Amino acid sequence: MDSRSKDNRDTRKRTKSSISPQQLIELGKLPPQAVDLEIAVLGALMLDKDALSNAIDILKPEAFYKEAHQRIFSAIQSLFSKAEPVDILTVTQELKKNGELEIAGGAFYVTQLTNRIASAANVQTHARIVLEKYLQRELIRISTDTLQHSYEDTSDVFELLNKAEQNLFSISQTNIRKDFEHIRPILGKTIKEIEAARNQELSGVQSGFTSLDRITGGWQRSDLIILAARPGTGKTAFVVTMARNAAVEFNKPVAIFSLEMTANQLVSRFISGETELPADKLRKGELREHEYQQLNSKISRLVDAPIYIDDTPALSIFEFRAKARRLKAQHNISMVIVDYLQLMVSGQEGKFSREQEVSMISRSLKAIAKELDVPIIALSQLSRAVEQRGGSKRPQLSDLRESGAIEQDADIVMFIYRPDMAGITQDENGMSTDGMAEIIIAKHLNGKIDSANLMFIPHLAKFVEPSSSVVPSGISANVDDFDPNNTIIRGSRMNLSLIHISEPTRLRRIS
């Protein structure tokens, strides 16, 4: 075997494992570090109790480059959590009790830490620099590991990509805490928002449903709104209708992350709702000439609507955060819709139970809503318990599937309740429940618990106000039904209604 082959084999062996900080030093690359500032921080924490309160929540043991400093900081953390005094003597005693005094450099080294600083005044700044160096080292570690495994033919590229996303996401969670603010500037900002709200009806993004907006005041910035219902109840139809209303009627940019339906299927819903042409006819292409004219004339409002769709399946929370940030920066989106929460992945598959994963996802969605300052509406499934219950089968908070954390993290929890799907054909007044839908607000952190009554039009996959002029499924009309004023009289099992038609259009029975 020649020396070149031997060298190549040795190189391949070396790439099997990640490069450690010590190996980087041997290669001539010193990892980012600030040992002098680490000493200054530790000395300040043992010297001044105010410094301890100001900086201890910024750092964690692994943020320190030297192992001795990691052990000393862990001892300081332990004392602080037990509300015990933190000074040279107590820290030394804590290290001795844990059997780590020698690893930490001995009692003399701990004593010398306080002699290296003149003042603890800048401890927060020093702590933030120490944290930045740690984040730099973590980025180098993850990038080096990814680079090495990318050269290996045996590596699964998708598994490698997923691992890189997980690691980067974990780093993104290690950020510098936002500091507290005095109430005065917050009061000023809040008063300005109240004054601005005087000139408009709603303070949030309007859903387009008057009865619902009256309860919520619109979807408020930084809120996490959970919309839950059993499959087939119309969750997607409801958010598609809201997205259309926000984008078309109020020119609010909306982002939709559809994990269940493709972008084409979702856009077909938009077209059906906008043109009032049945979805099945659009899907089969069974349109008559006047219906094509109707399609072309009404679709124009959707063409320029600020609606952005992403249909990536099994979207990870890391990808979602990155894409949502980009949409906010590029298009200043006002609302985000996720369809639906249980199809998202945490990026930590196999490490936690599914319930813990869903909890991580819901917490992350709330954090992203606050970070981007936009409402996030996430669809969620209900458990089968709602179907096994007797009576009206009205959903309740305990029916939220897989995690109680969803209820805890959400600012608003809403349910779609359709009596006809629960086998209830008449309401308490003896009227037909066909198409009736109740939007139940079961949790409202900043408002009242209430409900809004809407109508669901199945053949259009669309929700409307009860007074809307949309033709319900099963109602027929023809050109002879039109009067000179373009008004058509139509009968249903419930009542007779006068519905104004803007252009004479031949309609046929939808079976």
Side-chain angles (χ1 to χ4, degrees):
M1 183 182 298
D2 58 14
S3 59
R4 181 178 300 175
S5 299
K6 184 176 183 299
D7 290 342
N8 290 339
R9 187 180 65 182
D10 292 342
T11 301
R12 285 196 299 271
K13 284 182 178 179
R14 284 196 298 271
T15 60
K16 293 289 184 181
S17 59
S18 300
I19 294 179
S20 66
Q22 184 60 38
Q23 288 174 312
L24 285 172
I25 295 173
E26 292 171 0
L27 292 172
K29 295 181 180 179
L30 192 64
Q33 56 179 292
V35 176
D36 288 342
L37 291 178
E38 290 180 9
I39 292 171
V41 169
L42 293 174
L45 296 181
M46 291 188 289
L47 196 65
D48 190 334
K49 65 178 183 180
D50 291 334
L52 186 66
S53 301
N54 290 335
I56 196 165
D57 63 330
I58 296 175
L59 298 171
K60 53 185 179 179
E62 53 267 34
F64 290 85
Y65 181 71
K66 289 188 66 174
E67 184 180 1
H69 295 167
Q70 293 177 9
R71 305 300 177 110
I72 294 169
F73 185 76
S74 293
I76 293 172
Q77 267 190 332
S78 177
L79 291 168
F80 183 80
S81 64
K82 293 183 287 189
E84 295 181 8
V86 176
D87 55 37
I88 296 173
L89 296 178
T90 56
V91 171
T92 303
Q93 185 61 34
E94 183 72 13
L95 289 166
K96 187 183 294 183
K97 185 175 72 174
N98 297 334
E100 297 180 341
L101 184 58
E102 294 306 315
I103 301 175
F108 179 75
Y109 184 76
V110 176
T111 304
Q112 290 298 307
L113 291 175
T114 56
N115 295 332
R116 301 280 294 273
I117 61 166
S119 169
N122 300 318
V123 65
Q124 272 191 319
T125 303
H126 296 161
R128 294 180 193 280
I129 295 173
V130 170
L131 179 62
E132 288 173 8
K133 298 298 180 183
Y134 163 69
L135 295 177
Q136 285 180 275
R137 292 197 300 273
E138 285 295 285
L139 285 171
I140 291 171
R141 178 185 64 80
I142 293 168
S143 302
T144 303
D145 187 63
T146 304
L147 182 64
Q148 290 175 350
H149 285 90
S150 296
Y151 277 106
E152 295 181 12
D153 294 334
T154 57
S155 297
D156 185 317
V157 65
F158 297 105
E159 183 180 340
L160 183 61
L161 181 63
N162 186 50
K163 183 180 177 183
E165 288 176 355
Q166 291 176 18
N167 291 332
L168 287 171
F169 179 69
S170 65
I171 289 182
S172 69
Q173 302 304 298
T174 311
N175 49 22
I176 299 174
R177 299 277 182 189
K178 183 180 178 182
D179 210 352
F180 54 81
E181 294 181 72
H182 188 270
I183 193 172
R184 181 178 296 168
I186 302 174
L187 273 175
K189 182 180 177 182
T190 306
I191 294 298
K192 286 181 180 179
E193 290 179 353
I194 293 172
E195 290 174 346
R198 291 177 61 188
N199 301 322
Q200 57 186 17
E201 221 173 277
L202 299 172
S203 57
V205 179
Q206 293 170 264
S207 69
F209 301 119
T210 306
S211 55
L212 183 60
D213 288 336
R214 191 178 294 120
I215 300 169
T216 64
W219 308 123
Q220 303 299 314
R221 292 178 299 176
S222 79
D223 274 5
L224 173 62
I225 299 108
I226 298 295
L227 174 66
R230 287 296 292 157
T233 311
K235 297 187 298 296
T236 302
F238 183 69
V239 294
V240 163
T241 307
M242 286 199 303
R244 180 265 170 205
N245 292 342
V248 175
E249 301 296 340
F250 308 109
N251 197 34
K252 299 288 186 182
V254 178
I256 303 177
F257 291 85
S258 177
L259 286 79
E260 185 176 31
M261 301 176 67
T262 65
N264 287 346
Q265 291 172 329
L266 203 61
V267 170
S268 293
R269 295 280 190 101
F270 278 105
I271 294 173
S272 178
E274 188 68 23
T275 63
E276 297 179 6
L277 293 170
D280 63 334
K281 294 187 69 174
L282 290 171
R283 185 171 61 253
K284 297 174 185 177
E286 298 176 348
L287 298 181
R288 298 181 180 180
E289 185 60 34
H290 71 270
E291 290 173 323
Y292 274 113
Q293 294 175 7
Q294 185 176 340
L295 174 66
N296 292 329
S297 65
K298 290 191 175 183
I299 201 176
S300 58
R301 299 189 73 188
L302 285 177
V303 173
D304 298 319
I307 300 172
Y308 306 92
I309 300 172
D310 183 290
D311 61 356
T312 304
L315 185 71
S316 73
I317 196 68
F318 174 82
E319 291 176 295
F320 173 77
R321 182 192 293 264
K323 290 180 176 182
R325 279 176 176 169
R326 193 156 60 246
L327 283 165
K328 179 67 174 178
Q330 295 176 357
H331 304 291
N332 193 29
I333 53 174
S334 299
M335 182 169 69
V336 177
I337 294 170
V338 178
D339 182 12
Y340 58 91
L341 188 148
Q342 278 82 7
L343 290 180
M344 294 189 80
V345 294
S346 66
Q348 304 287 332
E349 293 78 20
K351 295 184 180 179
F352 305 99
S353 68
R354 182 55 186 165
E355 184 174 339
Q356 289 172 318
E357 274 195 84
V358 172
S359 299
M360 292 172 62
I361 292 168
S362 66
R363 282 197 303 271
S364 298
L365 288 177
K366 175 59 183 173
I368 295 168
K370 289 187 68 177
E371 177 189 339
L372 301 183
D373 199 31
V374 298
I376 292 181
I377 302 175
L379 276 59
S380 177
Q381 295 283 23
L382 289 179
S383 68
R384 291 183 181 273
V386 67
E387 295 177 354
Q388 296 166 357
R389 250 193 330 267
S392 65
K393 302 187 187 322
R394 291 171 65 87
Q396 54 194 32
L397 290 172
S398 59
D399 296 324
L400 284 171
R401 187 173 171 182
E402 288 184 314
S403 178
I406 297 176
E407 175 190 346
Q408 177 183 332
D409 297 327
D411 297 277
I412 295 176
V413 177
M414 301 187 302
F415 300 118
I416 299 177
Y417 174 59
R418 289 175 52 196
D420 54 352
M421 290 193 67
I424 300 172
T425 58
Q426 291 185 334
D427 62 15
E428 59 273 13
N429 298 319
M431 303 296 289
S432 172
T433 60
D434 188 26
M436 288 178 57
E438 184 180 358
I439 309 301
I440 303 169
I441 299 181
K443 178 187 176 183
H444 194 183
L445 195 63
N446 299 305
K448 63 179 180 177
I449 305 300
D450 208 336
S451 62
N453 294 317
L454 302 176
M455 292 293 294
F456 179 61
I457 313 300
H459 68 292
L460 300 181
K462 178 179 182 179
F463 282 82
V464 297
E465 297 277 7
S467 58
S468 173
S469 61
V470 176
V471 181
S473 176
I475 304 303
S476 64
N478 56 54
V479 73
D480 299 325
D481 294 322
F482 288 98
D483 66 11
N485 297 319
N486 290 335
T487 300
I488 177 172
I489 301 177
R490 259 173 289 204
S492 72
R493 291 188 296 273
M494 294 175 61
N495 57 13
L496 290 173
S497 57
L498 286 174
I499 305 174
H500 184 74
I501 304 296
S502 57
E503 296 178 5
T505 306
R506 181 182 297 274
L507 301 174
R508 70 181 183 88
R509 182 178 296 276
I510 307 299
S511 58

